Amino acid sequence: MARVKVVHIVEDLGTGGLEKVIAYIVLALDKKKYDVQVWCLARGGQIADELIDRGICVKILDMDSYYNPFSIIKLAGLLKRNNVIILHTHGYFGSTFGRLGAILARTPIVITHVHTTYYNFNRRNLFMERFLSLFTVRIICISQAVERFVVDVEAISEKKTCLIYNGVDEFGLFKSDAGIEENRKSLGFGKDDVVAITVASLTGHKGHRVIIDAVRILSDKHEGLRCLIVGDGHLRRELKSYCMELGLSSKIAFTGQRKDIMSLLRIADLFVLASTEREGLGIALIEAEAARLPLIGTKVGGIPEVIVDNRNGLLVAPKDVHELASAMERLIKDKALREKMGEAGRKMYEERFSAARMIKEIELLYDRLTEKQLG
C-alpha cells in the first residue's frame, strides 16, 4: 500500500513552541504509513535546519504574503503536483495561506492546528476563519482554552474541533553534553543559588517585566536568588537596559536563543511563565514539568490546564508583580515543596503531555480521516 503524502505548512521554523510541536510530529510519524514533508512559506530557521539534518524534507517557498493571488495559485499547483493527501497547517499565516491553496488544489484532507488564542482578531480575521473552516475537516486545539476560543469567539462548530494537548520529549529536540555544575558556572551562578528560569520569546505579552520587577522585590531578602531569561525577541535590548537601571545585572542573565532548553531547565530550581494576555498552552511549561521543576504561571489561556494550583505549581493573576513575588518567595524558601511539586508535575507530564501520547493521538486522527475520506 502506498504511503499517504502529508505536508505540514508553517510560516517559518524558528525555535518557538509551535515549531517544536511540528518537529516532534514529523520526526515521530510512522514513516511506513506516511510520507511527510514540511513546507515553510516564508523562510526556514533553526528547527528547519535540524529537521533537514535528520532526513526530513523541508521546502522553503519564499511566499511572504497571501495578498498575492499568484502565490496562492503557485501553492495550489505544488499541492496538486505532489499529490498531497493530508495538509496540516500551523499558525495564522500558514493556516490561512495553506488552506486557500488547498481549496484551489482540492486537497482531500485539510487539518488546521490552532496553537493560541487570537483575541485581537478583527471582523475580517473572524470571517476568514469561519469561511476556511468550511473546507477544513478537523481543527486541532492544543488546550480547552483554545477550543473554547474557536467555538465561542470564532463561532465554528465544535463538531470540527478536537483536543490534542501538546507534548514534548523529556530530552528535548536538541541534546547537550554539559552537566548541571558546568552550566551553572558558565552563567555565573553558584551551586547554592536558587535559580528561577523563564523560557519565552522576548515580546510584550510574555510578561518579562513583571518577572524582573518580582526579582527586584525579592533580591534584598534573598541574596542567592538568580533569574535566567531564555529566548530572544524585539524587547531584548529594552529588557536588559531595564535590568541595568534596577541594578539587577548580576542577578538576571539573558541567554538569547538557545537550543539546549532541557539542559538549562535542569540547572534551575523553579520555572516562571508570566504571560499577560494570551497563552495557548505553553510548551515551555511542559518542558519544565518533564524536568521536574515546580511551576509558577498566570491564570491566562491554557496555563491552568498545565498547572494545578498548589499541586505541581502556583497560579497567580496576570500583571500582578506582588502576587508573583509572593509565589516565588514561597518556593525559594521551601526546598521540600519545590521537590514535591516537581514530582507531581513530572507525573502529570507522563500522563498527559508526553510527545509519545501526542503523536499517537495525531496518528489515530490521520488514520480515521484517511479511511473516511479515501475509503
Side-chain angles (χ1 to χ4, degrees), residues 156-304:
I156 293 171
S157 171
E158 61 184 353
K159 293 179 181 178
K160 290 271 186 177
T161 67
C162 65
L163 173 64
I164 300 180
Y165 282 117
N166 282 342
V168 304
D169 186 283
E170 64 179 298
F171 302 107
L173 285 169
F174 305 97
K175 308 297 187 291
S176 172
D177 296 326
I180 292 175
E181 190 173 336
E182 182 183 348
N183 264 321
R184 278 204 168 211
K185 188 176 180 181
S186 70
L187 293 163
F189 299 157
K191 66 177 183 177
D192 296 323
D193 289 340
V194 175
V195 178
I197 186 171
T198 187
V199 181
S201 59
L202 304 189
T203 53
H205 75 279
K206 293 295 185 179
H208 289 92
R209 271 187 175 256
V210 184
I211 297 173
I212 293 168
D213 286 338
V215 172
R216 176 181 55 80
I217 291 171
L218 297 170
S219 59
D220 290 338
K221 286 196 292 181
H222 301 281
E223 285 290 328
L225 172 62
R226 298 291 182 268
C227 182
L228 188 59
I229 295 179
V230 183
D232 212 343
H234 70 277
L235 292 181
R236 183 176 183 181
R237 182 177 296 179
E238 178 184 317
L239 291 171
K240 291 187 77 172
S241 296
Y242 188 54
C243 288
M244 290 181 66
E245 289 172 18
L246 298 177
L248 295 175
S249 295
S250 63
K251 299 275 188 180
I252 299 176
F254 289 79
T255 71
Q257 200 73 265
R258 290 282 292 259
K259 296 196 300 182
D260 55 335
I261 299 300
M262 295 306 293
S263 66
L264 292 176
L265 290 170
R266 290 189 177 99
I267 72 170
D269 299 286
L270 60 111
F271 184 92
V272 182
L273 186 64
S275 302
T276 59
E277 298 169 8
R278 59 183 172 88
E279 190 68 55
L281 190 65
I283 199 80
L285 282 174
I286 299 170
E287 291 173 328
E289 271 195 332
R292 291 183 164 84
L293 286 182
L295 311 175
I296 299 175
T298 50
K299 300 169 186 175
V300 170
I303 293 175

Side-chain angles (χ1 to χ4, degrees), residues 302-350:
I303 293 175
E305 295 171 55
V306 183
I307 302 176
V308 178
D309 198 27
N310 287 302
R311 181 181 166 196
N312 66 324
L314 302 170
L315 288 168
V316 299
K319 302 181 183 180
D320 191 325
V321 173
H322 292 283
E323 190 176 357
L324 176 59
S326 294
M328 290 175 67
E329 184 169 36
R330 184 178 168 192
L331 292 180
I332 290 165
K333 291 166 68 175
D334 195 336
K335 183 178 180 182
L337 181 62
R338 295 200 303 266
E339 291 175 350
K340 180 182 177 181
M341 286 185 168
E343 288 303 320
R346 173 68 191 196
K347 185 178 180 182
M348 187 179 295
Y349 157 76
E350 291 171 351

Side-chain angles (χ1 to χ4, degrees), residues 82-94:
N82 283 272
N83 191 30
V84 176
I85 302 300
I86 299 176
L87 180 68
H88 191 149
T89 71
H90 303 265
Y92 181 70
F93 177 69

